[in-house]
Amino acid sequence: MARGNNTNRPPPDYTSFGSSSSMDELSSPYYLQNGDHPGLILVSHSLTGSNFSSWHRALLLALTAKNKLVFIDGTIVRPPSTDLLFSSWNRCNSMVISWILNSVANDIADNLLYFSTGYKVWNDLKTRYSQANGPRIFQLKQRISSLCQGSLDVNGYYSKLKSLWDELQDYILLPSCTCGALREIGASKEQDHILLLEPLSSLTKVFSMVLQEERQRQLSVALPTPAAPDTPILTSVASSPPSISTAVAVQRRL
């Protein structure tokens, strides 16, 4: 039988996962893999408070991959104890709480032990550690404007700067658009990172060019040539041919 078009298919009814066989279906939020256990660590960096934004995004991705996001966003509520689903819900809910506890600092985890649902744990963390957009945007702009390369190599400096820009961009909500204006906004954003380059290239390409320049400078250290003044690569104008080095500045002064 030919398969029909499922684009208008209604959202899944989680109450239908009531039999023991359906609990083993990969599409069921109650399904647990063999490797799923309470001691599992889903994210590489624990929540300490100040890193809530990056931690929040990383854990959302991990729980989405585990098909357990519904246990923290309120989609699935606790069923009655007499419900056929209660045992499976209780098991998955406890698993999700354990995963969250494993991903936060010990002093934070101690304050979460007595919450009964993953939804309450998640919302308590959001209430405590998420900041209003205005102050956080101001803080990010300050950090971007004051960030200097210093003793960092190009890769380390670029990684720090880009993570700040990405978080800042995440706070700026843009409306949906089909007229092409968002592409122009994106191009303008990258011009904020790149001050001198003709024609303009992507930020990633500029990073690759600067990284190549840094490696060339490291190789030239062994040559018997007069030492050039120490200047950060990302804020200097190199004197080598344009095919090798291009004047770039990744840091924008706000």
Side-chain angles (χ1 to χ4, degrees), residues 49-93:
S50 60
N51 63 337
F52 177 79
S53 180
S54 57
W55 174 88
H56 174 268
R57 181 169 178 80
L59 196 61
L60 279 180
L61 291 173
L63 291 176
T64 300
K66 288 290 188 181
N67 199 18
K68 297 296 180 290
L69 196 62
V70 291
F71 289 94
I72 65 169
D73 65 5
T75 302
I76 296 183
V77 297
R78 183 208 303 264
S81 58
T82 56
D83 195 292
L84 186 61
L85 284 172
F86 178 78
S87 177
S88 296
W89 178 91
N90 193 43
R91 178 181 59 175
C92 290
N93 175 69

Side-chain angles (χ1 to χ4, degrees), residues 213 216-217 237-247:
E213 171 68 17
Q216 290 175 345
R217 290 193 180 190
V237 179
S239 58
S240 47
S243 59
I244 298 178
S245 173
T246 305

